[in-house]
Amino acid sequence: LFIFSIFFLISKIEFFYYLTIFFIGFLSDIKILKSAKVRFFLQGVIIFFLVINFNLHLNDVRVPFLNYLLEFKFFSYIFFAFCLLIVTNGTNFIDGLNGLVIGYYLIILTIIFNLDIIHDFLDIKVELLNYIILLIYLFLFNLFNKLYLGDSGSYLIGATIGSLLIYIYNEINFISPFFIVLLLWYPCFENLFSILRKLNREFSPLKPDSKHLHQLVFFFLSKKYNLKLILSNNLSSTIICFFNFLIIYTSSINPTSTIFQIKLITISIIFYNVSYMLLFKFYKLNLKSKK
């Protein structure tokens, strides 16, 4: 948080919002704010006022009906606050392996930084470069088990990068909004999938469990190949990040085409579901064999 405040010469009011989001996660990390419902509510309030204060919106989402609704300011604020809330919590959902969250966002920012269409936007390039340097620094410590993001770090990274991507789209609005959606597909879909999965099991969507995709990948590698925990951990995050690199890099080839981005999002979701089904089957079979 300290490095973040120095790297990004952000306004005092902007820093206050991000500090508050960080602090909500910090209270969770030190076991004071234990209620997931309260954390979710507090995040929602802070992010809603963040969206209003900085007028975070998309000028054109390329869906006529939604564009019409977004012309109403209050609906627009609710919609984008909800989107940022999903990204922020989704980022926390995927934070279960060393290097996974930081590696995923490093991929996003590095690929955007190298887009040809970014070259004429010096302020964006400087901000991206600052964030990439910061994440590389954190990534090295995280990868070698010397630093953990916790809820505080996950919330901060999700909220700040989510806001940054909305800003980038509004500055370069000839790219497809679905390019931005694809960049964030993994934490957002992990969030949605986890909610539906828990509701299907009559389990509170806000309560944590150990059946996220990254945890099943970790379980598979450690059991199937009898790897050490740290090796299984780093290998699992590498595999997931590599798949996301392929998807995001492919999407960057044609960031202006909505159809192209929707196809890639669909492929990603199908691959996620098939992988989850196979890994969960392996998980259940191993539990039965233990019993």
Side-chain angles (χ1 to χ4, degrees):
L1 182 65
F2 176 70
I3 297 172
F4 172 80
S5 66
I6 295 175
F7 266 42
F8 304 92
L9 302 175
I10 56 179
S11 65
K12 290 180 181 179
I13 186 67
E14 188 176 359
F15 182 70
F16 168 77
Y17 283 119
Y18 293 136
L19 174 64
T20 307
I21 291 170
F22 176 90
F23 192 63
I24 291 170
F26 179 71
L27 291 178
S28 171
D29 289 331
I30 61 175
K31 311 300 182 186
I32 292 178
L33 189 55
K34 296 181 180 180
S35 171
K37 291 180 181 179
V38 174
R39 292 200 304 271
F40 191 79
F41 172 76
L42 292 175
Q43 287 174 32
V45 171
I46 296 300
I47 288 173
F48 179 70
F49 284 105
L50 172 70
V51 168
I52 292 176
N53 200 93
F54 294 98
N55 195 26
L56 294 178
H57 67 285
L58 297 184
N59 295 319
D60 178 17
V61 296
R62 300 193 185 180
V63 180
F65 176 69
L66 191 52
N67 276 342
Y68 172 75
L69 292 176
L70 292 175
E71 290 178 4
F72 299 94
K73 279 289 186 182
F74 186 73
F75 178 83
S76 177
Y77 291 146
I78 291 289
F79 179 78
F80 287 107
F82 176 75
C83 291
L84 271 180
L85 192 59
I86 293 299
V87 172
T88 302
N89 281 274
T91 301
N92 191 43
F93 273 34
I94 66 173
D95 179 35
L97 300 173
N98 293 346
L100 181 55
V101 167
I102 301 176
Y104 179 75
Y105 282 108
L106 262 176
I107 291 168
I108 291 175
L109 298 183
T110 303
I111 287 177
I112 294 177
F113 183 81
N114 286 290
L115 286 176
D116 291 336
I117 55 179
I118 292 287
H119 292 335
D120 295 330
F121 298 86
L122 183 59
D123 58 331
I124 293 177
K125 284 189 73 75
V126 170
E127 190 158 0
L128 286 170
L129 182 59
N130 284 339
Y131 221 133
I132 288 169
I133 293 171
L134 171 60
L135 290 185
I136 289 174
Y137 168 79
L138 296 175
F139 180 76
L140 293 174
F141 282 94
N142 186 221
L143 195 64
F144 292 103
N145 240 18
K146 301 300 180 183
L147 173 146
Y148 304 100
L149 289 178
D151 291 348
S152 51
S154 300
Y155 291 159
L156 182 65
I157 288 176
T160 53
I161 295 185
S163 303
L164 176 62
L165 292 179
I166 293 176
Y167 169 74
I168 289 174
Y169 174 75
N170 282 330
E171 291 295 305
I172 316 172
N173 55 21
F174 51 83
I175 63 176
S176 170
F178 285 88
F179 175 61
I180 304 299
V181 172
L182 183 134
L183 294 177
L184 297 169
W185 86 272
Y186 176 43
C188 292
F189 186 74
E190 178 71 47
N191 198 339
L192 173 64
F193 184 84
S194 297
I195 290 171
L196 295 176
R197 172 172 57 79
K198 291 174 184 178
L199 287 175
N200 185 54
R201 294 168 48 213
E202 297 183 352
F203 187 72
S204 172
L206 295 175
K207 289 186 178 179
D209 70 356
S210 58
K211 296 182 179 62
H212 294 289
L213 177 67
H214 61 271
Q215 292 165 322
L216 295 181
V217 172
F218 172 81
F219 182 84
F220 174 80
L221 291 175
S222 58
K223 293 296 181 184
K224 182 77 173 178
Y225 301 104
N226 197 28
L227 301 177
K228 292 182 178 179
L229 292 182
I230 188 65
L231 182 57
S232 297
N233 189 310
N234 290 346
L235 186 57
S236 300
S237 59
T238 301
I239 290 170
I240 295 172
C241 282
F242 180 70
F243 169 73
N244 279 297
F245 167 76
L246 294 179
I247 290 293
I248 294 170
Y249 177 77
T250 304
S251 76
S252 71
I253 295 172
N254 191 2
T256 61
S257 171
T258 292
I259 298 299
F260 184 66
Q261 301 302 323
I262 290 175
K263 287 179 179 178
L264 284 174
I265 292 169
T266 304
I267 290 170
S268 302
I269 290 173
I270 291 172
F271 187 83
Y272 179 105
N273 280 283
V274 172
S275 300
Y276 191 94
M277 180 181 66
L278 294 174
L279 289 168
F280 190 65
K281 184 178 180 180
F282 178 85
Y283 174 81
K284 288 198 297 183
L285 285 173
N286 275 267
L287 287 184
K288 286 181 180 178
S289 63
K290 279 185 179 181
K291 291 177 181 178

